[in-house]
Amino acid sequence: MPVVHAIPQRFENLPNFPYSPRFIEIGGMRVHYVDEGQGETILCLHGEPTWAFLYRKMIPLFVGAGKRAVAPDFIGFGRSDKFTEIEDYSFRLHYETIESFIEKLDPREITLVCHDWGGLIGLTVVAQHPDRFYRLVIMNTGLPTGEEKMPEGFMAWRSFALRQTDMIASIVVRKACATGKNLPAEVLAAYDAPFPDLQHKAGMHAFPGLVPISTDMAGAAEMKEARRRLAGWTKPALVLFSDGDPVTRGGDRFFRHLIPSTREQPEITIQGAGHFLQEDKGEEVAQHILDFLNRTSVRSSRHKEAAL
């Protein structure tokens, strides 16, 4: 399985992203992550075709509020190592990477902030390791099992993506953002930084075809089990979708119905944002998350348990 590494020079002078790269080895692959601040851990998982840069508007607010912000890049994305062949990517690879990443860093009482594929993988990890997590923040994502008809918006995206022979990350981001026409050239270049050629793009080309649209696809059974377990989740959970994402439209209602504790939180929709709500309204999203953390502090929860 041939592997290529990120090219450091392509990540120089990234706008509003001054963080020193950190790496951890998982399964012989170098996985990059941002790790800033101290305090409660907020684990931020990106999706297709982005990387930790997507969270650049949110990390400073988390750190400024006394939290620890951790944002890894999936294998095949960002500064992480990349297999050069599409067939080397799988649901199991990404699941085991995040599972091992959490085991190696060993944070506790994690607040998971997940988006897109970050939700498909992250929520499945949560379901198998609930004791490591205290809160969930679920944004523009899903838990597809192949049992229901997928949204037309997703199927249109999937069809488009699978036709591409040389996908360009910045074009995908720009078209899926409400603010896409106004994104500066240096921001678009940062989204393209991990992908200088086709060898570096195999992971990006693989993701759309890995979403389970039938029950026999890899990951379908694991996400069905995740649904079953999350239906009994009683710790804090916040659903935070945007109003302008046809790909995940309706997912907010699904998660509010599935996870009991989401109904204890306000129903918030980020207005004027597309699929990449972190790019369109990152500061607003971060503030909603911090408000959620303040409403559901680990310390106050412990006091309630002690009183019982």
Side-chain angles (χ1 to χ4, degrees):
M1 289 192 277
V3 174
V4 290
H5 307 294
I7 300 172
Q9 292 83 352
R10 290 182 62 87
F11 295 87
E12 293 176 352
N13 302 315
L14 296 170
N16 301 310
F17 199 76
Y19 310 115
S20 299
R22 300 171 184 261
F23 294 91
I24 191 168
E25 186 170 311
I26 297 174
M29 302 286 280
R30 290 204 321 162
V31 173
H32 167 260
Y33 64 104
V34 172
D35 191 345
E36 297 290 326
Q38 296 179 337
E40 292 181 83
T41 299
I42 303 177
L43 176 63
C44 304
L45 297 184
H46 71 86
E48 164 86 344
T50 61
W51 58 289
F53 180 77
L54 180 65
Y55 286 97
R56 74 190 182 284
K57 297 179 181 180
M58 299 169 63
I59 291 171
L61 274 73
F62 293 157
V63 174
K67 312 301 180 185
R68 178 191 184 192
V70 178
D73 294 337
F74 282 111
I75 288 173
F77 295 83
R79 285 184 166 116
S80 291
D81 284 350
K82 301 168 180 68
F83 294 116
T84 63
E85 303 300 322
I86 292 176
E87 56 266 25
D88 291 333
Y89 291 90
S90 65
F91 175 87
R92 180 56 50 182
L93 166 75
H94 292 303
Y95 174 90
E96 291 180 350
T97 298
I98 297 303
E99 184 180 52
S100 296
F101 178 81
I102 292 169
E103 289 174 355
K104 287 176 178 287
L105 261 66
D106 199 29
R108 299 286 170 172
E109 297 175 333
I110 301 168
T111 295
L112 173 68
V113 175
C114 60
H115 173 258
D116 193 272
W117 262 100
L120 278 66
I121 299 297
L123 292 172
T124 308
V125 171
V126 168
Q128 294 296 326
H129 302 280
D131 292 346
R132 284 195 176 271
F133 294 85
Y134 180 67
R135 302 183 192 85
L136 308 177
V137 180
I138 303 169
M139 309 188 303
N140 288 10
T141 186
L143 274 176
T145 64
E147 296 173 309
E148 302 103 355
K149 182 180 179 181
M150 297 292 283
E152 290 183 6
F154 169 78
M155 294 306 293
W157 149 249
R158 183 180 187 273
S159 178
F160 164 81
L162 294 180
R163 290 196 308 269
Q164 303 306 302
T165 57
D166 190 4
M167 195 181 298
I168 298 175
S170 63
I171 292 179
V172 175
V173 172
R174 180 170 55 80
K175 288 186 175 181
C177 281
T179 58
K181 292 181 180 179
N182 300 318
L183 291 179
E186 59 268 27
V187 168
L188 296 174
Y191 283 114
D192 287 331
F195 309 115
D197 54 40
L198 280 175
Q199 281 195 318
H200 288 77
K201 293 183 178 184
M204 176 168 55
H205 283 134
F207 251 159
L210 293 179
V211 177
I213 60 172
S214 63
T215 57
D216 60 346
M217 289 183 66
E222 290 87 342
M223 282 186 259
K224 184 174 182 177
E225 177 63 13
R227 288 187 182 193
R228 188 186 71 80
R229 297 190 180 198
L230 289 172
W233 179 269
T234 58
K235 288 179 280 188
L238 177 68
V239 177
L240 204 58
F241 276 48
S242 66
D243 66 341
D245 180 24
V247 174
T248 63
R249 184 164 292 145
D252 51 348
R253 295 189 299 274
F254 164 78
F255 281 111
R256 290 192 180 107
H257 176 75
L258 176 70
I259 303 174
S261 60
T262 60
R263 298 188 285 277
E264 299 171 8
Q265 301 302 321
E267 290 194 12
I268 300 169
T269 300
I270 304 301
Q271 302 294 323
H275 180 66
F276 299 103
L277 64 172
Q278 306 98 313
E279 182 63 57
D280 284 327
K281 295 289 183 74
E283 295 89 350
E284 179 183 336
V285 171
Q287 190 57 57
H288 281 303
I289 293 171
L290 290 172
D291 291 344
F292 169 55
L293 265 63
N294 289 334
R295 290 194 301 270
T296 58
S297 71
V298 176
R299 183 175 299 176
S300 65
S301 175
R302 287 176 179 159
H303 286 167
K304 289 178 183 178
E305 290 175 1
L308 294 173

